[in-house]
Amino acid sequence: MSDVMMARPVCLTIGGSDSCGGAGIQADLRVFDRLGVYGCSAITALTAQNPLHIARVEPVSLAQLDAELHALFDYYDVAVVKTGMLLDAEHVAVVSGLLAELHHGSLVVDPVMISSSGSVLLDQGGVAALRGALLPQAALITPNLDEADALLGQRSGYAADSPVEAVKALREALGCPVLLKGGHADGDMLLDLLCDEEEGIHRFTHIRQYWSAGEGHGTGCRLASAVAAGLANQMPLVPAVEAAIAFLQEGTA
């Protein structure tokens, strides 16, 4: 490993490949580089997409995913893992099992379930596997409002109507800190809520950025990977979340 790589903490992103580069593995690696960490990746699925539409999803074989993860952990001292699109229960099982065996650092889970264009990216079996096997290992999960409803088994719109109650319920049910992203709410001012065990609820308000069609694609991926980079750079959780939100507000990620 080169001196440059050794000088940087290592973050591993596990998720789908976004052919247009706005989300997924490509976006995560770009954020890692900008925030001073060395990024590596394990791919769960290939997608054919642009910012407005996912045309096709091709799962990576479980044997290939297993080999990717073993190869990376055999070589790198991974500080933080960030997961994104995991597709189904079988892929979640491979990831959760190998992380429990091989990873000794922090885990940030972005529970990607539905794309911004409406495509399903995690089936119902995958949601159950996520709750049962992966989320108990997490240092942070970063659901949006719709994902929070799914994880809680609540009606659509519950988290948007009652975000404080929703983030508390997620924290209690899942046993790990939760960053509830408010981007799917209405209005010009957005509220993100971080609920952690030690300090309670932290509120982060910011102005909504109005994107042209497709330009908001992947903001959730980039936020979670920015938090992961902050944790890899030895930032405590609350400052890492605050810095990640500010980074996204710059609009250059």
Side-chain angles (χ1 to χ4, degrees), residues 117-131:
S117 60
S119 297
V120 175
L121 302 178
L122 184 68
D123 64 18
Q124 286 302 308
V127 174
L130 195 77
R131 284 182 55 108

Side-chain angles (χ1 to χ4, degrees), residues 183-198:
H184 288 191
D186 297 328
D188 293 330
M189 291 299 297
L190 299 181
L191 174 65
D192 298 327
L193 295 172
L194 172 64
C195 185
D196 66 359
E197 182 177 11
E198 297 177 354

Side-chain angles (χ1 to χ4, degrees), residues 17-20 45-50 53-58:
S17 170
D18 178 352
S19 57
C20 69
L46 305 175
T47 69
Q49 65 174 293
N50 59 45
H53 174 61
I54 296 179
R56 181 178 171 84
V57 175
E58 183 75 20

Side-chain angles (χ1 to χ4, degrees), residues 136-177:
Q137 302 180 48
L140 179 71
I141 68 168
T142 64
N144 62 32
L145 297 171
D146 297 330
E147 292 159 351
D149 291 340
L151 289 170
L152 288 169
Q154 287 281 359
R155 62 172 175 82
S156 178
Y158 168 74
D161 293 338
S162 307
V164 173
E165 288 77 7
V167 75
K168 287 180 178 178
L170 281 169
R171 173 66 184 84
E172 181 175 353
L174 302 176
C176 63

Side-chain angles (χ1 to χ4, degrees), residues 57-203:
V57 175
E58 183 75 20
V60 166
S61 73
L62 301 180
Q64 173 66 23
L65 179 58
D66 181 283
E68 291 177 28
L69 291 170
H70 271 105
L72 292 168
F73 280 105
D74 282 349
Y75 186 79
Y76 295 105
D77 181 12
V78 178
V80 179
V81 172
K82 179 257 180 181
T83 65
M85 175 186 175
L86 298 179
L87 199 63
D88 56 29
E90 290 77 13
H91 286 77
V92 173
V94 169
V95 170
S96 60
L98 289 181
L99 290 184
E101 175 187 350
L102 302 173
H103 182 49
H104 306 294
S106 296
L107 170 64
V108 175
V109 177
D110 183 14
V112 176
M113 298 179 186
I114 300 175
S115 73
S116 54
S117 60
S119 297
V120 175
L121 302 178
L122 184 68
D123 64 18
Q124 286 302 308
V127 174
L130 195 77
R131 284 182 55 108
L134 190 63
L135 294 183
Q137 302 180 48
L140 179 71
I141 68 168
T142 64
N144 62 32
L145 297 171
D146 297 330
E147 292 159 351
D149 291 340
L151 289 170
L152 288 169
Q154 287 281 359
R155 62 172 175 82
S156 178
Y158 168 74
D161 293 338
S162 307
V164 173
E165 288 77 7
V167 75
K168 287 180 178 178
L170 281 169
R171 173 66 184 84
E172 181 175 353
L174 302 176
C176 63
V178 178
L179 175 61
L180 180 61
K181 301 174 294 191
H184 288 191
D186 297 328
D188 293 330
M189 291 299 297
L190 299 181
L191 174 65
D192 298 327
L193 295 172
L194 172 64
C195 185
D196 66 359
E197 182 177 11
E198 297 177 354
E199 300 182 54
I201 292 181
H202 307 265
R203 298 169 179 263

